[in-house]
Amino acid sequence: VPTKVSENILTLNDVFISVKTTHIFHKTRLDVILNTWFRLARNQTYFFTDADDPKYNTISGGHLINTNCSSSHNRKALCCKMSVEFDSFIASNKKWFCHFDDDNYVNVPRLVQHLRRYNPLDDWYLGKPSIKKPLEIQDRDSKKKKVRFWFATGGAGFCISKALALKMVPIASEGRMISVGEKIRLPDDVTVGYIVEHILSKQLTVVLQFHSHLESMALLPNASLSEQISFSYSGNGSNRNVLSLKKSINKSLDPTRFYTLHCHLYPDLCKPNT
Ligand code: UDP
Ligand code: MN
Protein backbone atom coordinates (compact mmCIF):
# COMPACT_ATOMS: atom_id res chain seq x y z
CA VAL A 1 0.00 0.00 0.00
CA PRO A 2 1.58 3.32 -0.98
CA THR A 3 1.96 5.63 2.00
CA LYS A 4 0.12 8.89 1.73
CA VAL A 5 2.48 11.81 1.19
CA SER A 6 0.79 13.67 4.02
CA GLU A 7 1.97 10.99 6.45
CA ASN A 8 5.57 11.79 5.58
CA ILE A 9 5.38 15.55 5.53
CA LEU A 10 6.94 17.11 8.59
CA THR A 11 4.61 19.16 10.78
CA LEU A 12 5.23 21.46 13.70
CA ASN A 13 4.27 18.64 16.04
CA ASP A 14 7.40 16.76 14.96
CA VAL A 15 9.60 19.55 16.34
CA PHE A 16 10.69 20.03 19.95
CA ILE A 17 11.53 23.69 20.55
CA SER A 18 13.54 24.49 23.68
CA VAL A 19 14.28 27.97 24.96
CA LYS A 20 17.05 28.48 27.50
CA THR A 21 16.26 31.08 30.12
CA THR A 22 17.02 32.07 33.72
CA HIS A 23 14.69 33.33 36.46
CA ILE A 24 15.86 36.95 36.31
CA PHE A 25 14.90 37.08 32.63
CA HIS A 26 11.37 35.67 32.95
CA LYS A 27 9.71 39.08 33.09
CA THR A 28 12.08 40.94 30.79
CA ARG A 29 12.47 38.33 28.07
CA LEU A 30 9.63 35.80 28.20
CA ASP A 31 6.69 38.25 27.98
CA VAL A 32 7.52 39.27 24.43
CA ILE A 33 8.05 35.65 23.36
CA LEU A 34 4.79 34.50 24.98
CA ASN A 35 2.89 37.31 23.24
CA THR A 36 4.40 36.72 19.81
CA TRP A 37 5.93 33.58 18.30
CA PHE A 38 5.08 31.26 21.20
CA ARG A 39 1.44 31.63 20.09
CA LEU A 40 2.34 29.79 16.90
CA ALA A 41 3.96 26.88 18.77
CA ARG A 42 2.31 26.68 22.21
CA ASN A 43 2.30 22.93 22.37
CA GLN A 44 5.82 22.42 21.00
CA THR A 45 7.84 25.05 22.90
CA TYR A 46 9.35 24.54 26.38
CA PHE A 47 11.29 27.00 28.55
CA PHE A 48 14.26 25.66 30.52
CA THR A 49 15.02 27.72 33.58
CA ASP A 50 16.57 27.50 37.04
CA ALA A 51 13.76 28.30 39.47
CA ASP A 52 10.08 27.56 39.98
CA ASP A 53 7.85 30.36 38.72
CA PRO A 54 4.15 29.45 38.99
CA LYS A 55 3.09 32.60 37.13
CA TYR A 56 5.13 31.92 34.00
CA ASN A 57 4.50 28.21 34.24
CA THR A 58 0.77 28.94 34.03
CA ILE A 59 1.05 31.46 31.20
CA SER A 60 3.17 29.01 29.21
CA GLY A 61 0.64 26.21 29.68
CA GLY A 62 2.86 24.28 32.07
CA HIS A 63 5.85 24.52 29.75
CA LEU A 64 8.32 26.14 32.18
CA ILE A 65 10.79 23.48 33.26
CA ASN A 66 12.94 24.00 36.34
CA THR A 67 16.15 22.21 35.42
CA ASN A 68 17.45 22.54 38.99
CA CYS A 69 20.69 23.68 37.37
CA SER A 70 22.56 26.50 39.09
CA SER A 71 21.40 29.97 38.11
CA SER A 72 24.88 31.32 37.61
CA HIS A 73 26.12 32.14 34.15
CA ASN A 74 28.97 29.70 34.24
CA ARG A 75 29.92 26.94 31.84
CA LYS A 76 28.75 24.14 34.06
CA ALA A 77 25.34 25.71 34.71
CA LEU A 78 24.74 26.42 31.02
CA CYS A 79 25.84 22.92 29.96
CA CYS A 80 23.57 21.56 32.67
CA LYS A 81 20.57 23.32 31.12
CA MET A 82 21.49 22.20 27.60
CA SER A 83 21.77 18.66 28.89
CA VAL A 84 18.25 18.82 30.39
CA GLU A 85 16.95 20.29 27.10
CA PHE A 86 18.55 17.36 25.30
CA ASP A 87 17.11 14.75 27.67
CA SER A 88 13.64 16.30 27.38
CA PHE A 89 13.87 16.12 23.59
CA ILE A 90 14.86 12.45 23.71
CA ALA A 91 11.93 11.74 26.04
CA SER A 92 9.56 13.59 23.67
CA ASN A 93 10.24 11.11 20.87
CA LYS A 94 9.99 13.94 18.31
CA LYS A 95 11.90 14.15 15.02
CA TRP A 96 13.79 17.42 15.53
CA PHE A 97 15.43 19.14 18.51
CA CYS A 98 15.67 22.90 18.03
CA HIS A 99 17.34 25.00 20.71
CA PHE A 100 17.01 28.78 21.05
CA ASP A 101 17.95 31.47 23.56
CA ASP A 102 15.36 33.64 25.31
CA ASP A 103 16.43 36.64 23.18
CA ASN A 104 15.47 34.89 19.96
CA TYR A 105 12.34 35.35 17.86
CA VAL A 106 11.58 32.09 16.07
CA ASN A 107 9.74 32.33 12.76
CA VAL A 108 7.95 29.05 13.44
CA PRO A 109 6.35 28.32 10.03
CA ARG A 110 9.66 29.05 8.28
CA LEU A 111 11.52 26.78 10.67
CA VAL A 112 9.16 23.89 9.92
CA GLN A 113 9.27 24.60 6.19
CA HIS A 114 13.06 24.60 6.26
CA LEU A 115 13.30 21.34 8.22
CA ARG A 116 11.22 19.62 5.53
CA ARG A 117 14.35 19.71 3.33
CA TYR A 118 16.10 17.14 5.50
CA ASN A 119 15.28 13.61 6.55
CA PRO A 120 15.27 13.36 10.37
CA LEU A 121 16.30 9.70 10.03
CA ASP A 122 19.65 10.95 8.69
CA ASP A 123 22.22 12.80 10.82
CA TRP A 124 21.71 16.55 10.68
CA TYR A 125 23.19 19.37 12.74
CA LEU A 126 21.83 22.64 11.40
CA GLY A 127 22.84 26.11 12.50
CA LYS A 128 25.12 29.02 11.93
CA PRO A 129 28.68 29.55 13.13
CA SER A 130 29.68 32.96 14.42
CA ILE A 131 33.34 32.55 13.57
CA LYS A 132 34.97 32.46 10.13
CA LYS A 133 37.21 29.47 10.74
CA PRO A 134 36.64 26.24 12.66
CA LEU A 135 37.46 26.48 16.35
CA GLU A 136 40.88 25.03 17.13
CA ILE A 137 41.60 23.65 20.58
CA GLN A 138 44.31 21.59 22.18
CA ASP A 139 43.29 17.96 22.55
CA ARG A 140 43.01 17.15 26.27
CA ASP A 141 43.92 13.51 25.70
CA SER A 142 46.98 13.81 23.49
CA LYS A 143 48.37 17.24 24.27
CA LYS A 144 50.28 17.58 21.03
CA LYS A 145 47.27 17.19 18.78
CA LYS A 146 44.98 20.01 17.80
CA VAL A 147 41.28 19.48 17.36
CA ARG A 148 39.33 21.56 14.84
CA PHE A 149 35.56 21.74 14.65
CA TRP A 150 32.65 23.99 13.76
CA PHE A 151 29.84 24.76 16.15
CA ALA A 152 26.49 26.46 15.69
CA THR A 153 26.09 29.57 17.85
CA GLY A 154 23.48 28.83 20.51
CA GLY A 155 22.24 32.41 20.38
CA ALA A 156 21.17 31.96 16.75
CA GLY A 157 19.44 28.65 17.42
CA PHE A 158 20.31 25.23 16.04
CA CYS A 159 18.51 21.99 15.21
CA ILE A 160 19.54 18.36 15.53
CA SER A 161 17.76 15.46 13.85
CA LYS A 162 16.46 12.54 15.87
CA ALA A 163 18.93 10.13 14.25
CA LEU A 164 21.90 12.27 15.24
CA ALA A 165 20.49 12.93 18.72
CA LEU A 166 20.20 9.18 19.31
CA LYS A 167 23.89 8.80 18.41
CA MET A 168 24.65 11.57 20.93
CA VAL A 169 22.80 9.80 23.76
CA PRO A 170 25.75 7.76 25.11
CA ILE A 171 27.91 10.90 25.16
CA ALA A 172 25.43 13.62 26.10
CA SER A 173 22.44 12.21 27.97
CA GLU A 174 21.74 12.26 31.72
CA GLY A 175 24.27 14.96 32.47
CA ARG A 176 27.15 13.48 30.50
CA MET A 177 27.19 16.64 28.37
CA ILE A 178 28.33 18.52 31.50
CA SER A 179 31.41 16.30 31.79
CA VAL A 180 32.27 16.87 28.14
CA GLY A 181 31.94 20.64 28.62
CA GLU A 182 34.13 20.47 31.72
CA LYS A 183 36.73 18.44 29.85
CA ILE A 184 37.11 20.92 27.00
CA ARG A 185 36.29 23.90 29.26
CA LEU A 186 34.06 25.53 26.67
CA PRO A 187 30.44 26.76 26.65
CA ASP A 188 27.36 24.64 25.98
CA ASP A 189 26.94 25.42 22.26
CA VAL A 190 30.64 24.73 21.65
CA THR A 191 30.27 21.47 23.58
CA VAL A 192 27.44 20.38 21.26
CA GLY A 193 29.64 21.15 18.24
CA TYR A 194 32.52 19.20 19.79
CA ILE A 195 30.31 16.17 20.39
CA VAL A 196 28.79 16.22 16.90
CA GLU A 197 31.82 17.18 14.81
CA HIS A 198 34.77 15.81 16.77
CA ILE A 199 33.44 12.82 18.69
CA LEU A 200 30.81 11.65 16.17
CA SER A 201 32.53 12.99 13.00
CA LYS A 202 29.33 14.52 11.61
CA GLN A 203 29.34 17.93 9.99
CA LEU A 204 27.49 21.11 10.77
CA THR A 205 25.25 22.20 7.90
CA VAL A 206 25.26 25.98 7.76
CA VAL A 207 21.81 27.56 7.63
CA LEU A 208 22.20 31.25 6.93
CA GLN A 209 18.62 32.05 7.97
CA PHE A 210 19.50 31.66 11.68
CA HIS A 211 20.59 34.97 13.24
CA SER A 212 22.16 35.84 16.59
CA HIS A 213 22.89 39.30 17.95
CA LEU A 214 26.53 38.77 17.01
CA GLU A 215 25.31 39.89 13.58
CA SER A 216 23.93 43.33 12.90
CA MET A 217 20.14 42.94 12.95
CA ALA A 218 19.60 46.24 11.13
CA LEU A 219 21.36 44.85 8.05
CA LEU A 220 18.53 42.37 7.37
CA PRO A 221 16.39 43.90 4.61
CA ASN A 222 12.68 44.23 5.44
CA ALA A 223 11.77 42.32 2.29
CA SER A 224 13.76 39.25 3.38
CA LEU A 225 12.54 39.01 6.98
CA SER A 226 9.81 36.49 6.17
CA GLU A 227 12.43 34.08 4.83
CA GLN A 228 14.55 34.15 7.99
CA ILE A 229 14.20 31.52 10.71
CA SER A 230 15.49 33.28 13.83
CA PHE A 231 16.27 36.80 15.00
CA SER A 232 17.72 38.36 18.14
CA TYR A 233 18.49 41.65 19.84
CA SER A 234 20.99 43.02 22.33
CA GLY A 235 22.13 46.10 24.11
CA ASN A 236 20.36 49.23 25.26
CA GLY A 237 20.63 52.95 24.81
CA SER A 238 22.94 53.83 21.93
CA ASN A 239 24.52 50.34 21.80
CA ARG A 240 21.35 48.63 20.68
CA ASN A 241 21.45 45.94 18.04
CA VAL A 242 17.88 45.49 16.87
CA LEU A 243 15.95 44.89 13.68
CA SER A 244 15.15 47.95 11.65
CA LEU A 245 11.59 47.87 10.34
CA LYS A 246 10.03 50.62 8.31
CA LYS A 247 6.53 50.49 9.76
CA SER A 248 7.28 50.22 13.43
CA ILE A 249 5.48 50.22 16.72
CA ASN A 250 6.59 52.90 19.19
CA LYS A 251 10.18 51.99 20.06
CA SER A 252 9.71 52.53 23.78
CA LEU A 253 6.82 50.04 23.76
CA ASP A 254 8.78 47.58 21.64
CA PRO A 255 12.46 47.89 22.51
CA THR A 256 13.28 44.42 21.14
CA ARG A 257 11.35 45.12 17.87
CA PHE A 258 9.82 41.64 18.18
CA TYR A 259 6.21 42.92 18.38
CA THR A 260 6.88 44.97 15.26
CA LEU A 261 8.44 41.95 13.56
CA HIS A 262 5.52 39.72 14.55
CA CYS A 263 3.04 42.21 13.05
CA HIS A 264 5.18 42.52 9.93
CA LEU A 265 5.27 38.74 9.44
CA TYR A 266 1.73 37.93 10.61
CA PRO A 267 -0.48 41.02 10.28
CA ASP A 268 -3.65 38.99 10.93
CA LEU A 269 -2.33 37.79 14.28
CA CYS A 270 -1.46 41.12 15.74
CA LYS A 271 -4.62 43.15 15.60
CA PRO A 272 -5.39 44.70 19.00
CA ASN A 273 -6.70 42.22 21.59
CA THR A 274 -5.88 39.09 19.65
N1 UDP B 1 21.37 32.49 30.65
C1 UDP B 1 21.24 31.53 31.62
N2 UDP B 1 21.80 31.74 32.85
C2 UDP B 1 22.46 32.89 33.14
C3 UDP B 1 22.58 33.89 32.15
C4 UDP B 1 22.04 33.65 30.91
O1 UDP B 1 20.63 30.48 31.38
O2 UDP B 1 22.94 33.03 34.26
C5 UDP B 1 20.79 32.25 29.33
C6 UDP B 1 19.92 33.41 28.85
O3 UDP B 1 18.61 33.28 29.35
C7 UDP B 1 20.02 33.24 27.35
C8 UDP B 1 21.44 32.70 27.15
O4 UDP B 1 21.82 32.13 28.40
O5 UDP B 1 19.09 32.30 26.85
C9 UDP B 1 22.43 33.77 26.73
O6 UDP B 1 22.40 34.82 27.68
P1 UDP B 1 22.52 36.34 27.27
O7 UDP B 1 21.64 36.62 26.08
O8 UDP B 1 22.22 37.17 28.48
O9 UDP B 1 24.05 36.51 26.93
P2 UDP B 1 24.88 36.43 25.57
O10 UDP B 1 25.75 35.22 25.74
O11 UDP B 1 23.93 36.29 24.43
O12 UDP B 1 25.62 37.70 25.53
MN1 MN C 1 21.96 36.88 24.06
Side-chain angles (χ1 to χ4, degrees), residues 29 101-103 155 213 232-234:
R29 296 191 182 187
D101 277 0
D102 59 6
D103 50 7
H213 55 66
S232 191
Y233 61 84
S234 67

Side-chain angles (χ1 to χ4, degrees), residues 25-274:
F25 290 154
H26 290 178
K27 177 85 196 122
T28 52
R29 296 191 182 187
L30 298 195
D31 279 349
V32 62
I33 293 178
L34 291 163
N35 288 323
T36 59
W37 68 265
F38 177 76
R39 295 176 172 217
L40 298 176
R42 278 184 196 286
N43 297 323
Q44 296 77 21
T45 306
Y46 291 81
F47 299 94
F48 291 82
T49 191
D50 39 39
D52 289 330
D53 187 336
K55 184 183 162 203
Y56 280 89
N57 189 42
T58 301
I59 307 173
S60 66
H63 283 203
L64 188 80
I65 295 172
N66 182 358
T67 59
N68 292 312
C69 297
S70 150
S71 61
S72 60
H73 186 92
N74 59 35
R75 184 176 59 238
K76 204 165 181 173
L78 296 177
C79 262
C80 174
K81 263 178 208 162
M82 182 68 78
S83 119
V84 178
E85 291 175 48
F86 180 79
D87 287 348
S88 305
F89 163 69
I90 294 293
S92 78
N93 217 18
K94 298 211 177 204
K95 294 179 180 165
W96 287 96
F97 168 43
C98 295
H99 157 96
F100 295 93
D101 277 0
D102 59 6
D103 50 7
N104 284 134
Y105 178 102
V106 183
N107 189 359
V108 174
R110 264 287 156 173
L111 172 68
V112 175
Q113 199 177 52
H114 190 85
L115 292 176
R116 289 192 183 128
R117 299 181 189 191
Y118 315 92
N119 184 348
L121 302 177
D122 293 331
D123 300 326
W124 292 106
Y125 172 38
L126 311 172
K128 193 197 233 171
S130 51
I131 49 178
K132 296 224 152 52
K133 284 187 216 164
L135 187 68
E136 189 173 282
I137 63 168
Q138 211 71 41
D139 195 336
R140 301 270 153 201
D141 300 322
S142 74
K143 288 263 188 295
K144 279 181 196 143
K145 260 200 287 172
K146 284 204 169 133
V147 173
R148 270 183 214 88
F149 61 95
W150 290 102
F151 68 94
T153 300
F158 60 80
C159 297
I160 291 174
S161 64
K162 180 174 186 171
L164 178 56
L166 290 176
K167 292 193 173 90
M168 293 169 69
V169 161
I171 308 157
S173 70
E174 292 168 29
R176 282 179 277 252
M177 194 182 296
I178 306 168
S179 322
V180 179
E182 285 305 289
K183 182 181 138 182
I184 61 170
R185 299 198 213 142
L186 289 165
D188 51 354
D189 52 354
V190 186
T191 301
V192 170
Y194 179 85
I195 292 170
V196 173
E197 286 228 334
H198 177 67
I199 303 182
L200 294 173
S201 303
K202 308 289 176 185
Q203 280 181 359
L204 171 69
T205 298
V206 177
V207 177
L208 296 173
Q209 294 95 323
F210 286 95
H211 302 283
S212 78
H213 55 66
L214 296 171
E215 302 169 40
S216 170
M217 287 297 117
L219 291 182
L220 290 171
N222 281 212
S224 84
L225 296 178
S226 64
E227 292 152 33
Q228 310 308 319
I229 294 170
S230 65
F231 307 88
S232 191
Y233 61 84
S234 67
N236 45 41
S238 54
N239 292 322
R240 285 187 329 147
N241 177 15
V242 291
L243 288 164
S244 167
L245 286 117
K246 291 211 177 66
K247 273 194 192 165
S248 72
I249 297 169
N250 186 321
K251 288 185 175 144
S252 64
L253 294 175
D254 186 21
T256 70
R257 321 310 292 140
F258 282 1
Y259 286 107
T260 304
L261 173 66
H262 193 61
C263 292
H264 172 84
L265 298 176
Y266 306 104
D268 294 347
L269 298 181
C270 87
K271 294 182 188 116
N273 304 315
T274 57

